Amino acid sequence: LYPPTGANGSPDFANPRLPDRDLIPVPVTDVTPPVVTGVPDRLPNDAGWYSAPVTIDWRSVDPRPSSGRPTDPADTLAKIEGRNAYSSDASCDHAGNCATGTLTLSIDRTAPDVACPPDQQFELRDAEAVVTAVVTDASSGPVAASVSAAADTSSVGAKTVSLTAQDIAGNETTVDCSYTVVSTPWMVGGTGLVN
């Protein structure tokens, strides 16, 4: 900064000019830690579930007054079954304030279990014959507690029917359930005639 000039236009070193406050940089006092947000690599299904691992991209910003761009935590691969909270590594700004982020995800990578009924039998030409299997899922839960399909009873013998079940995360299981069609004896005019 230059001193003011005297009456003759020469510098007056005996009366130095004070610094202009507008020209002095004001030090930034940053005491606020960064804000860390987790962004998954895709959206979940309509029920809020993922059926495969998810990569979390951690993004950091430093609120005003900011001391500079904070460090960027490494991505996280989320793959634990169930509803779990995942945390980032620390993100620090230039003032030394640090913080971590948290994101909760629901992941179900396992298909549901489908239990066929054992030793199921139907009579020949039973128009109401239906095979029903029980569905269970330990994580997201089954879409329905059971699945059913009509049984073919047009002829006697051992048969199978395919049943498909789905859990809330979208995983599917298809099984072939076995059953047997038998002919049933019936009485004609009190005799033991067998059809």
Side-chain angles (χ1 to χ4, degrees):
L1 298 175
Y2 296 97
T5 57
N8 60 0
S10 61
D12 185 1
F13 291 99
N15 184 22
R17 186 174 62 188
L18 293 176
D20 189 338
R21 290 183 179 273
D22 293 336
L23 300 178
I24 301 176
V26 178
V28 173
T29 303
D30 183 358
V31 296
T32 304
V35 176
V36 184
T37 304
V39 181
D41 59 8
R42 64 190 184 281
L43 294 175
N45 67 8
D46 291 341
W49 283 86
Y50 293 93
S51 60
V54 180
T55 299
I56 303 173
D57 176 21
W58 299 103
R59 302 176 184 178
S60 301
V61 294
D62 195 31
R64 292 175 180 265
S66 174
S67 57
R69 182 174 180 175
T71 57
D72 188 29
D75 294 351
T76 299
L77 180 63
K79 58 182 180 179
I80 303 173
E81 298 249 352
R83 183 173 174 81
N84 295 286
Y86 296 86
S87 297
S88 72
D89 295 333
S91 173
C92 300
D93 60 24
H94 293 280
N97 304 300
C98 299
T100 58
T102 302
L103 180 65
T104 299
L105 299 176
S106 298
I107 300 175
D108 181 1
R109 303 162 57 195
T110 305
D113 293 320
V114 182
C116 297
D119 305 323
Q120 192 160 29
Q121 289 189 347
F122 299 106
E123 294 182 5
L124 184 65
R125 301 184 193 86
D126 181 356
E128 298 180 357
V130 173
V131 177
T132 300
V134 176
V135 184
T136 56
D137 187 85
S139 191
S140 61
V143 171
S146 63
V147 287
S148 302
D152 175 16
T153 60
S154 61
S155 60
V156 298
K159 301 176 182 291
T160 61
V161 62
S162 292
L163 297 175
T164 299
Q166 190 177 62
D167 64 23
I168 293 174
N171 302 296
E172 284 189 354
T173 299
T174 298
V175 297
D176 289 331
C177 290
S178 301
Y179 64 97
T180 304
V181 179
V182 297
S183 60
T184 302
W186 56 284
M187 304 300 292
V188 177
T191 64
L193 297 178
V194 178
N195 183 23

Tab-separated table of all heavy atoms in Angstrom, residues 114-117 131-135 145-148 163 175 177:
chain	number	residue	atom	x	y	z
A	114	VAL	N	-40.121	-73.247	-2.653
A	114	VAL	CA	-41.444	-73.730	-3.043
A	114	VAL	C	-41.552	-75.199	-2.632
A	114	VAL	O	-40.767	-76.030	-3.095
A	114	VAL	CB	-41.684	-73.583	-4.556
A	114	VAL	CG1	-43.090	-74.062	-4.926
A	114	VAL	CG2	-41.485	-72.132	-4.991
A	115	ALA	N	-42.490	-75.491	-1.757
A	115	ALA	CA	-42.660	-76.851	-1.237
A	115	ALA	C	-43.894	-77.495	-1.862
A	115	ALA	O	-45.031	-77.062	-1.630
A	115	ALA	CB	-42.791	-76.826	0.284
A	116	CYS	N	-43.659	-78.539	-2.672
A	116	CYS	CA	-44.767	-79.255	-3.307
A	116	CYS	C	-45.486	-80.145	-2.291
A	116	CYS	O	-44.859	-80.646	-1.349
A	116	CYS	CB	-44.248	-80.128	-4.440
A	116	CYS	SG	-43.479	-79.223	-5.802
A	117	PRO	N	-46.790	-80.369	-2.468
A	117	PRO	CA	-47.501	-81.281	-1.574
A	117	PRO	C	-47.039	-82.721	-1.801
A	117	PRO	O	-46.844	-83.140	-2.950
A	117	PRO	CB	-48.972	-81.091	-1.968
A	117	PRO	CG	-48.915	-80.611	-3.382
A	117	PRO	CD	-47.673	-79.788	-3.498
A	131	VAL	N	-53.182	-78.504	-7.950
A	131	VAL	CA	-51.962	-78.725	-7.177
A	131	VAL	C	-51.535	-77.380	-6.583
A	131	VAL	O	-51.376	-76.399	-7.309
A	131	VAL	CB	-50.840	-79.292	-8.062
A	131	VAL	CG1	-49.547	-79.441	-7.249
A	131	VAL	CG2	-51.247	-80.630	-8.655
A	132	THR	N	-51.346	-77.352	-5.267
A	132	THR	CA	-50.981	-76.118	-4.563
A	132	THR	C	-49.690	-76.331	-3.790
A	132	THR	O	-49.574	-77.304	-3.039
A	132	THR	CB	-52.094	-75.677	-3.600
A	132	THR	OG1	-53.288	-75.436	-4.355
A	132	THR	CG2	-51.704	-74.403	-2.866
A	133	ALA	N	-48.735	-75.438	-3.974
A	133	ALA	CA	-47.455	-75.504	-3.266
A	133	ALA	C	-47.330	-74.307	-2.325
A	133	ALA	O	-47.858	-73.223	-2.591
A	133	ALA	CB	-46.295	-75.517	-4.254
A	134	VAL	N	-46.613	-74.505	-1.221
A	134	VAL	CA	-46.402	-73.456	-0.220
A	134	VAL	C	-45.121	-72.692	-0.556
A	134	VAL	O	-44.088	-73.289	-0.881
A	134	VAL	CB	-46.309	-74.063	1.188
A	134	VAL	CG1	-45.986	-72.982	2.218
A	134	VAL	CG2	-47.613	-74.752	1.551
A	135	VAL	N	-45.189	-71.358	-0.491
A	135	VAL	CA	-44.050	-70.504	-0.830
A	135	VAL	C	-43.552	-69.783	0.427
A	135	VAL	O	-44.341	-69.200	1.168
A	135	VAL	CB	-44.434	-69.455	-1.893
A	135	VAL	CG1	-43.209	-68.639	-2.313
A	135	VAL	CG2	-45.072	-70.133	-3.097
A	145	ALA	N	-48.397	-66.505	-0.513
A	145	ALA	CA	-48.020	-67.604	0.377
A	145	ALA	C	-48.112	-68.962	-0.299
A	145	ALA	O	-47.564	-69.948	0.203
A	145	ALA	CB	-48.885	-67.591	1.626
A	146	SER	N	-48.789	-69.024	-1.432
A	146	SER	CA	-48.906	-70.288	-2.155
A	146	SER	C	-49.118	-70.012	-3.635
A	146	SER	O	-49.539	-68.915	-4.026
A	146	SER	CB	-50.064	-71.132	-1.612
A	146	SER	OG	-51.298	-70.466	-1.805
A	147	VAL	N	-48.793	-71.013	-4.451
A	147	VAL	CA	-49.048	-70.949	-5.890
A	147	VAL	C	-49.759	-72.231	-6.297
A	147	VAL	O	-49.508	-73.298	-5.733
A	147	VAL	CB	-47.746	-70.774	-6.699
A	147	VAL	CG1	-47.209	-69.371	-6.543
A	147	VAL	CG2	-46.699	-71.799	-6.293
A	148	SER	N	-50.663	-72.121	-7.278
A	148	SER	CA	-51.479	-73.264	-7.671
A	148	SER	C	-51.561	-73.372	-9.184
A	148	SER	O	-51.357	-72.389	-9.915
A	148	SER	CB	-52.894	-73.139	-7.104
A	148	SER	OG	-52.872	-73.047	-5.694
A	163	LEU	N	-44.907	-75.077	-11.304
A	163	LEU	CA	-45.395	-73.955	-10.502
A	163	LEU	C	-44.268	-72.942	-10.338
A	163	LEU	O	-43.125	-73.324	-10.048
A	163	LEU	CB	-45.868	-74.434	-9.129
A	163	LEU	CG	-47.045	-75.409	-9.109
A	163	LEU	CD1	-47.319	-75.882	-7.687
A	163	LEU	CD2	-48.288	-74.757	-9.692
A	175	VAL	N	-40.709	-74.954	-9.958
A	175	VAL	CA	-40.551	-76.357	-9.578
A	175	VAL	C	-41.599	-77.195	-10.299
A	175	VAL	O	-42.661	-76.689	-10.691
A	175	VAL	CB	-40.687	-76.561	-8.051
A	175	VAL	CG1	-39.593	-75.815	-7.306
A	175	VAL	CG2	-42.057	-76.114	-7.564
A	177	CYS	N	-44.091	-80.104	-9.586
A	177	CYS	CA	-44.731	-80.853	-8.500
A	177	CYS	C	-45.381	-82.126	-9.058
A	177	CYS	O	-46.090	-82.076	-10.075
A	177	CYS	CB	-45.790	-79.993	-7.811
A	177	CYS	SG	-45.091	-78.620	-6.848
